[in-house]
Amino acid sequence: MAYTEEEIRHWLEEVKDPEIPVLSLNDLGVITGISVLENGKVKVEMTPTFVGCPAIDYMKSDVKEVLAKHGVEEVEVRVSFDTQWNSNMISEKGRQALKDFGLAPPPKHNLIVELDILEEVECPNCGSHNTDLKTPFGPTLCRSIHHCFDCKETFEQFKPI
Ligand SMILES: [Zn+2]
């Protein structure tokens, strides 16, 4: 076999979220399955973060493009809804990347998102928890807008779901 599943996963680090160019789909937890078949064909399974996410077609072709660059010619990308994506699937590295990008990472939760975790968000600029939710509807489906009382900055959070 010319390549392994680990190599494929490593190469897929190059595929970034189209809205958050510092975050790879891998770290976002969107790549939920990789298999290398005997004939060298690669199957990639993706679980979209939000149903009807308009970026999914873009991400699919990006996955194929990156793998083609590494010599993987036959790639099948399957969008799967078998498991539901949730924001706990974002890796630690992904959380740090979000923070560096100026987006508050979603807090880990027990799959029940209560309003208070939307309200007490740590400011990515100064680390203060003295913040307020301005609107749960940010510029994209996955972001909410917050205000920090300490550094007076407005920031966005990648919403916990
Ligand atoms: Zn602040």
Side-chain angles (χ1 to χ4, degrees), residues 98-105 121-128 131 146 148 151 153-157:
L98 281 174
K99 237 175 157 170
D100 295 343
F101 190 62
L103 266 175
V121 178
E122 184 185 308
C123 170
N125 302 310
C126 70
S128 168
T131 62
H146 302 257
C148 175
C151 70
E153 292 283 344
T154 296
F155 64 90
E156 290 171 15
Q157 183 197 31

